[in-house]
Amino acid sequence: MQNATPYSSTRTRQLVITSMSIALVLVATMFINIKLPIAANGGLIHMGTAMLFLIAILFGPRTALIAGAVGMGLFDILMGYTIWAPGTIIARGLQGLIVGYIAWSGGRKGTNVAFNLIGMLASVPVMVAVYFVHEGIAFSSWVAPFGSITGNLIQNVVGILVAIPVGIALKKTRYFRQRG
């Protein structure tokens, strides 16, 4: 039997981190949420967005893309929002990718609060646009999607307000200081 190489150990670690990230996004979306009463399709405020932002800051774009797409896509499928799953997979995957890419650009690895915030803010219009187009196609109406914009914006503001201070705190821990 061969000894594990550093490469296989790194791949295993990345697989575990990605799998746990998917689970964290799913659980945070599923169990910590509030349905907004602003319209029939007014949105759901959940901590999955904050978790997605944190994963992007802590682990980078690839892990965040997968965690957002799979974690929130699974939520839609498991909780009866299947019609939203295709839009969610695209919107939340792109959101994780954008936040992680900007937060980790220039070798920063999510350590610069300004770049983390810029990444989050840059991801919001993409998420809103993807959901708008998805809803317009899914419901054959380009008027109905306007009802979702407010909820999507609130969702992101809550995610940012949670992710920034938690990200700052986590980046100060020994685990992330060693890696960042």
Side-chain angles (χ1 to χ4, degrees), residues 56-58 102-116 167-168 171-172 176-177 179-180:
I57 291 167
L58 299 174
I102 293 172
W104 281 56
S105 65
R108 287 180 191 84
K109 296 186 179 182
T111 57
N112 185 299
V113 176
F115 274 81
N116 296 347
I168 290 169
K171 280 293 187 176
K172 290 179 181 178
F176 290 107
R177 274 198 324 263
R179 283 156 180 72

PDB file of all heavy atoms in Angstrom, residues 56-58 102-116 167-168 171-172 176-177 179-180:
ATOM      1  N   ALA A  56     -16.865  32.217  -0.158  1.00  0.00           N
ATOM      2  CA  ALA A  56     -16.072  32.876  -1.196  1.00  0.00           C
ATOM      3  C   ALA A  56     -14.865  33.580  -0.594  1.00  0.00           C
ATOM      4  O   ALA A  56     -13.753  33.508  -1.129  1.00  0.00           O
ATOM      5  CB  ALA A  56     -16.944  33.867  -1.963  1.00  0.00           C
ATOM      6  N   ILE A  57     -15.060  34.251   0.535  1.00  0.00           N
ATOM      7  CA  ILE A  57     -13.975  34.963   1.209  1.00  0.00           C
ATOM      8  C   ILE A  57     -12.957  33.988   1.791  1.00  0.00           C
ATOM      9  O   ILE A  57     -11.752  34.186   1.676  1.00  0.00           O
ATOM     10  CB  ILE A  57     -14.542  35.863   2.334  1.00  0.00           C
ATOM     11  CG1 ILE A  57     -15.340  37.021   1.735  1.00  0.00           C
ATOM     12  CG2 ILE A  57     -13.441  36.377   3.240  1.00  0.00           C
ATOM     13  CD1 ILE A  57     -16.187  37.756   2.760  1.00  0.00           C
ATOM     14  N   LEU A  58     -13.444  32.928   2.403  1.00  0.00           N
ATOM     15  CA  LEU A  58     -12.566  32.002   3.119  1.00  0.00           C
ATOM     16  C   LEU A  58     -11.863  30.994   2.221  1.00  0.00           C
ATOM     17  O   LEU A  58     -10.720  30.618   2.484  1.00  0.00           O
ATOM     18  CB  LEU A  58     -13.350  31.261   4.194  1.00  0.00           C
ATOM     19  CG  LEU A  58     -13.986  32.125   5.289  1.00  0.00           C
ATOM     20  CD1 LEU A  58     -14.859  31.269   6.197  1.00  0.00           C
ATOM     21  CD2 LEU A  58     -12.930  32.877   6.077  1.00  0.00           C
ATOM     22  N   ILE A 102     -12.962  38.206  -6.964  1.00  0.00           N
ATOM     23  CA  ILE A 102     -12.532  39.551  -6.567  1.00  0.00           C
ATOM     24  C   ILE A 102     -11.838  39.517  -5.204  1.00  0.00           C
ATOM     25  O   ILE A 102     -10.794  40.134  -5.015  1.00  0.00           O
ATOM     26  CB  ILE A 102     -13.721  40.535  -6.601  1.00  0.00           C
ATOM     27  CG1 ILE A 102     -14.181  40.727  -8.063  1.00  0.00           C
ATOM     28  CG2 ILE A 102     -13.347  41.873  -5.966  1.00  0.00           C
ATOM     29  CD1 ILE A 102     -15.458  41.512  -8.233  1.00  0.00           C
ATOM     30  N   ALA A 103     -12.417  38.775  -4.258  1.00  0.00           N
ATOM     31  CA  ALA A 103     -11.828  38.708  -2.908  1.00  0.00           C
ATOM     32  C   ALA A 103     -10.440  38.054  -2.925  1.00  0.00           C
ATOM     33  O   ALA A 103      -9.590  38.388  -2.105  1.00  0.00           O
ATOM     34  CB  ALA A 103     -12.756  37.947  -1.967  1.00  0.00           C
ATOM     35  N   TRP A 104     -10.217  37.144  -3.861  1.00  0.00           N
ATOM     36  CA  TRP A 104      -8.940  36.430  -3.927  1.00  0.00           C
ATOM     37  C   TRP A 104      -8.020  36.973  -5.016  1.00  0.00           C
ATOM     38  O   TRP A 104      -6.946  36.428  -5.255  1.00  0.00           O
ATOM     39  CB  TRP A 104      -9.188  34.939  -4.134  1.00  0.00           C
ATOM     40  CG  TRP A 104      -9.571  34.242  -2.855  1.00  0.00           C
ATOM     41  CD1 TRP A 104     -10.618  34.554  -2.025  1.00  0.00           C
ATOM     42  CD2 TRP A 104      -8.897  33.162  -2.252  1.00  0.00           C
ATOM     43  NE1 TRP A 104     -10.632  33.717  -0.954  1.00  0.00           N
ATOM     44  CE2 TRP A 104      -9.592  32.845  -1.061  1.00  0.00           C
ATOM     45  CE3 TRP A 104      -7.789  32.409  -2.596  1.00  0.00           C
ATOM     46  CZ2 TRP A 104      -9.199  31.818  -0.222  1.00  0.00           C
ATOM     47  CZ3 TRP A 104      -7.400  31.380  -1.767  1.00  0.00           C
ATOM     48  CH2 TRP A 104      -8.108  31.089  -0.585  1.00  0.00           C
ATOM     49  N   SER A 105      -8.409  38.062  -5.680  1.00  0.00           N
ATOM     50  CA  SER A 105      -7.585  38.619  -6.754  1.00  0.00           C
ATOM     51  C   SER A 105      -6.286  39.199  -6.194  1.00  0.00           C
ATOM     52  O   SER A 105      -6.219  39.610  -5.033  1.00  0.00           O
ATOM     53  CB  SER A 105      -8.367  39.706  -7.507  1.00  0.00           C
ATOM     54  OG  SER A 105      -8.641  40.802  -6.659  1.00  0.00           O
ATOM     55  N   GLY A 106      -5.273  39.210  -7.001  1.00  0.00           N
ATOM     56  CA  GLY A 106      -3.996  39.778  -6.608  1.00  0.00           C
ATOM     57  C   GLY A 106      -3.351  39.091  -5.414  1.00  0.00           C
ATOM     58  O   GLY A 106      -2.603  39.712  -4.674  1.00  0.00           O
ATOM     59  N   GLY A 107      -3.676  37.822  -5.189  1.00  0.00           N
ATOM     60  CA  GLY A 107      -3.094  37.074  -4.083  1.00  0.00           C
ATOM     61  C   GLY A 107      -3.653  37.456  -2.715  1.00  0.00           C
ATOM     62  O   GLY A 107      -3.088  37.101  -1.691  1.00  0.00           O
ATOM     63  N   ARG A 108      -4.787  38.149  -2.673  1.00  0.00           N
ATOM     64  CA  ARG A 108      -5.347  38.624  -1.400  1.00  0.00           C
ATOM     65  C   ARG A 108      -5.946  37.512  -0.549  1.00  0.00           C
ATOM     66  O   ARG A 108      -6.005  37.626   0.663  1.00  0.00           O
ATOM     67  CB  ARG A 108      -6.415  39.683  -1.659  1.00  0.00           C
ATOM     68  CG  ARG A 108      -5.838  40.991  -2.103  1.00  0.00           C
ATOM     69  CD  ARG A 108      -6.938  42.015  -2.354  1.00  0.00           C
ATOM     70  NE  ARG A 108      -6.365  43.162  -3.023  1.00  0.00           N
ATOM     71  CZ  ARG A 108      -6.179  43.259  -4.318  1.00  0.00           C
ATOM     72  NH1 ARG A 108      -6.545  42.286  -5.114  1.00  0.00           N
ATOM     73  NH2 ARG A 108      -5.631  44.333  -4.844  1.00  0.00           N
ATOM     74  N   LYS A 109      -6.475  36.485  -1.165  1.00  0.00           N
ATOM     75  CA  LYS A 109      -7.066  35.346  -0.463  1.00  0.00           C
ATOM     76  C   LYS A 109      -8.131  35.759   0.554  1.00  0.00           C
ATOM     77  O   LYS A 109      -8.216  35.218   1.649  1.00  0.00           O
ATOM     78  CB  LYS A 109      -5.985  34.495   0.203  1.00  0.00           C
ATOM     79  CG  LYS A 109      -5.044  33.867  -0.800  1.00  0.00           C
ATOM     80  CD  LYS A 109      -4.085  32.926  -0.139  1.00  0.00           C
ATOM     81  CE  LYS A 109      -3.185  32.304  -1.191  1.00  0.00           C
ATOM     82  NZ  LYS A 109      -2.266  31.344  -0.605  1.00  0.00           N
ATOM     83  N   GLY A 110      -8.922  36.764   0.194  1.00  0.00           N
ATOM     84  CA  GLY A 110     -10.034  37.177   1.045  1.00  0.00           C
ATOM     85  C   GLY A 110      -9.638  37.961   2.274  1.00  0.00           C
ATOM     86  O   GLY A 110     -10.451  38.130   3.182  1.00  0.00           O
ATOM     87  N   THR A 111      -8.428  38.495   2.309  1.00  0.00           N
ATOM     88  CA  THR A 111      -7.965  39.194   3.506  1.00  0.00           C
ATOM     89  C   THR A 111      -8.232  40.692   3.478  1.00  0.00           C
ATOM     90  O   THR A 111      -8.069  41.369   4.492  1.00  0.00           O
ATOM     91  CB  THR A 111      -6.445  38.982   3.714  1.00  0.00           C
ATOM     92  OG1 THR A 111      -5.758  39.420   2.535  1.00  0.00           O
ATOM     93  CG2 THR A 111      -6.127  37.527   3.974  1.00  0.00           C
ATOM     94  N   ASN A 112      -8.651  41.239   2.343  1.00  0.00           N
ATOM     95  CA  ASN A 112      -8.892  42.670   2.224  1.00  0.00           C
ATOM     96  C   ASN A 112     -10.393  42.933   2.272  1.00  0.00           C
ATOM     97  O   ASN A 112     -11.125  42.567   1.354  1.00  0.00           O
ATOM     98  CB  ASN A 112      -8.286  43.178   0.914  1.00  0.00           C
ATOM     99  CG  ASN A 112      -8.387  44.675   0.770  1.00  0.00           C
ATOM    100  OD1 ASN A 112      -9.475  45.232   0.757  1.00  0.00           O
ATOM    101  ND2 ASN A 112      -7.235  45.316   0.638  1.00  0.00           N
ATOM    102  N   VAL A 113     -10.852  43.582   3.336  1.00  0.00           N
ATOM    103  CA  VAL A 113     -12.279  43.808   3.545  1.00  0.00           C
ATOM    104  C   VAL A 113     -12.888  44.621   2.398  1.00  0.00           C
ATOM    105  O   VAL A 113     -14.007  44.336   1.954  1.00  0.00           O
ATOM    106  CB  VAL A 113     -12.548  44.500   4.909  1.00  0.00           C
ATOM    107  CG1 VAL A 113     -14.024  44.814   5.088  1.00  0.00           C
ATOM    108  CG2 VAL A 113     -12.049  43.625   6.049  1.00  0.00           C
ATOM    109  N   ALA A 114     -12.168  45.609   1.896  1.00  0.00           N
ATOM    110  CA  ALA A 114     -12.691  46.429   0.798  1.00  0.00           C
ATOM    111  C   ALA A 114     -12.937  45.577  -0.449  1.00  0.00           C
ATOM    112  O   ALA A 114     -13.988  45.694  -1.092  1.00  0.00           O
ATOM    113  CB  ALA A 114     -11.739  47.584   0.496  1.00  0.00           C
ATOM    114  N   PHE A 115     -11.987  44.718  -0.791  1.00  0.00           N
ATOM    115  CA  PHE A 115     -12.156  43.863  -1.968  1.00  0.00           C
ATOM    116  C   PHE A 115     -13.251  42.818  -1.740  1.00  0.00           C
ATOM    117  O   PHE A 115     -13.970  42.460  -2.666  1.00  0.00           O
ATOM    118  CB  PHE A 115     -10.833  43.208  -2.372  1.00  0.00           C
ATOM    119  CG  PHE A 115     -10.009  44.075  -3.272  1.00  0.00           C
ATOM    120  CD1 PHE A 115      -9.225  45.091  -2.743  1.00  0.00           C
ATOM    121  CD2 PHE A 115     -10.044  43.916  -4.640  1.00  0.00           C
ATOM    122  CE1 PHE A 115      -8.475  45.916  -3.557  1.00  0.00           C
ATOM    123  CE2 PHE A 115      -9.304  44.736  -5.477  1.00  0.00           C
ATOM    124  CZ  PHE A 115      -8.516  45.750  -4.935  1.00  0.00           C
ATOM    125  N   ASN A 116     -13.373  42.336  -0.522  1.00  0.00           N
ATOM    126  CA  ASN A 116     -14.466  41.404  -0.205  1.00  0.00           C
ATOM    127  C   ASN A 116     -15.809  42.081  -0.437  1.00  0.00           C
ATOM    128  O   ASN A 116     -16.711  41.502  -1.054  1.00  0.00           O
ATOM    129  CB  ASN A 116     -14.367  40.925   1.245  1.00  0.00           C
ATOM    130  CG  ASN A 116     -13.105  40.127   1.514  1.00  0.00           C
ATOM    131  OD1 ASN A 116     -12.403  39.716   0.598  1.00  0.00           O
ATOM    132  ND2 ASN A 116     -12.815  39.922   2.782  1.00  0.00           N
ATOM    133  N   GLY A 167     -16.678  37.370   8.461  1.00  0.00           N
ATOM    134  CA  GLY A 167     -15.472  37.112   7.670  1.00  0.00           C
ATOM    135  C   GLY A 167     -14.237  37.739   8.302  1.00  0.00           C
ATOM    136  O   GLY A 167     -13.178  37.117   8.350  1.00  0.00           O
ATOM    137  N   ILE A 168     -14.378  38.963   8.806  1.00  0.00           N
ATOM    138  CA  ILE A 168     -13.259  39.624   9.480  1.00  0.00           C
ATOM    139  C   ILE A 168     -12.823  38.796  10.688  1.00  0.00           C
ATOM    140  O   ILE A 168     -11.631  38.554  10.896  1.00  0.00           O
ATOM    141  CB  ILE A 168     -13.650  41.062   9.910  1.00  0.00           C
ATOM    142  CG1 ILE A 168     -13.794  41.957   8.673  1.00  0.00           C
ATOM    143  CG2 ILE A 168     -12.625  41.640  10.883  1.00  0.00           C
ATOM    144  CD1 ILE A 168     -14.441  43.310   8.961  1.00  0.00           C
ATOM    145  N   LYS A 171     -11.152  35.398   9.596  1.00  0.00           N
ATOM    146  CA  LYS A 171      -9.822  35.582   9.001  1.00  0.00           C
ATOM    147  C   LYS A 171      -8.754  35.834  10.063  1.00  0.00           C
ATOM    148  O   LYS A 171      -7.568  35.676   9.798  1.00  0.00           O
ATOM    149  CB  LYS A 171      -9.836  36.731   7.981  1.00  0.00           C
ATOM    150  CG  LYS A 171     -10.402  36.329   6.629  1.00  0.00           C
ATOM    151  CD  LYS A 171      -9.505  35.326   5.936  1.00  0.00           C
ATOM    152  CE  LYS A 171      -9.947  35.046   4.529  1.00  0.00           C
ATOM    153  NZ  LYS A 171      -9.031  34.153   3.831  1.00  0.00           N
ATOM    154  N   LYS A 172      -9.171  36.222  11.274  1.00  0.00           N
ATOM    155  CA  LYS A 172      -8.226  36.438  12.375  1.00  0.00           C
ATOM    156  C   LYS A 172      -7.905  35.151  13.129  1.00  0.00           C
ATOM    157  O   LYS A 172      -6.996  35.132  13.948  1.00  0.00           O
ATOM    158  CB  LYS A 172      -8.794  37.468  13.360  1.00  0.00           C
ATOM    159  CG  LYS A 172      -8.834  38.866  12.795  1.00  0.00           C
ATOM    160  CD  LYS A 172      -9.420  39.835  13.797  1.00  0.00           C
ATOM    161  CE  LYS A 172      -9.485  41.235  13.212  1.00  0.00           C
ATOM    162  NZ  LYS A 172     -10.106  42.194  14.151  1.00  0.00           N
ATOM    163  N   PHE A 176      -7.220  30.329   9.456  1.00  0.00           N
ATOM    164  CA  PHE A 176      -7.223  31.138   8.233  1.00  0.00           C
ATOM    165  C   PHE A 176      -6.011  32.069   8.138  1.00  0.00           C
ATOM    166  O   PHE A 176      -5.626  32.432   7.037  1.00  0.00           O
ATOM    167  CB  PHE A 176      -8.536  31.917   8.122  1.00  0.00           C
ATOM    168  CG  PHE A 176      -9.693  31.013   7.824  1.00  0.00           C
ATOM    169  CD1 PHE A 176     -10.630  30.731   8.808  1.00  0.00           C
ATOM    170  CD2 PHE A 176      -9.824  30.396   6.604  1.00  0.00           C
ATOM    171  CE1 PHE A 176     -11.681  29.869   8.558  1.00  0.00           C
ATOM    172  CE2 PHE A 176     -10.874  29.533   6.347  1.00  0.00           C
ATOM    173  CZ  PHE A 176     -11.803  29.265   7.314  1.00  0.00           C
ATOM    174  N   ARG A 177      -5.405  32.438   9.234  1.00  0.00           N
ATOM    175  CA  ARG A 177      -4.153  33.221   9.176  1.00  0.00           C
ATOM    176  C   ARG A 177      -3.058  32.391   8.523  1.00  0.00           C
ATOM    177  O   ARG A 177      -2.261  32.912   7.769  1.00  0.00           O
ATOM    178  CB  ARG A 177      -3.720  33.658  10.577  1.00  0.00           C
ATOM    179  CG  ARG A 177      -4.357  34.938  11.045  1.00  0.00           C
ATOM    180  CD  ARG A 177      -3.604  35.552  12.217  1.00  0.00           C
ATOM    181  NE  ARG A 177      -3.052  34.585  13.155  1.00  0.00           N
ATOM    182  CZ  ARG A 177      -3.617  34.206  14.296  1.00  0.00           C
ATOM    183  NH1 ARG A 177      -4.773  34.683  14.653  1.00  0.00           N
ATOM    184  NH2 ARG A 177      -3.021  33.313  15.078  1.00  0.00           N
ATOM    185  N   ARG A 179      -3.448  30.096   6.269  1.00  0.00           N
ATOM    186  CA  ARG A 179      -3.757  29.854   4.866  1.00  0.00           C
ATOM    187  C   ARG A 179      -3.918  31.137   4.068  1.00  0.00           C
ATOM    188  O   ARG A 179      -3.971  31.095   2.872  1.00  0.00           O
ATOM    189  CB  ARG A 179      -5.018  29.010   4.751  1.00  0.00           C
ATOM    190  CG  ARG A 179      -4.719  27.575   5.050  1.00  0.00           C
ATOM    191  CD  ARG A 179      -5.946  26.840   5.523  1.00  0.00           C
ATOM    192  NE  ARG A 179      -5.636  25.455   5.813  1.00  0.00           N
ATOM    193  CZ  ARG A 179      -4.938  25.046   6.848  1.00  0.00           C
ATOM    194  NH1 ARG A 179      -4.444  25.894   7.690  1.00  0.00           N
ATOM    195  NH2 ARG A 179      -4.715  23.767   7.058  1.00  0.00           N
ATOM    196  N   GLY A 180      -4.096  32.239   4.705  1.00  0.00           N
ATOM    197  CA  GLY A 180      -4.364  33.494   3.994  1.00  0.00           C
ATOM    198  C   GLY A 180      -3.279  34.434   4.163  1.00  0.00           C
ATOM    199  O   GLY A 180      -2.593  35.055   3.558  1.00  0.00           O
TER     200      GLY A 180
END
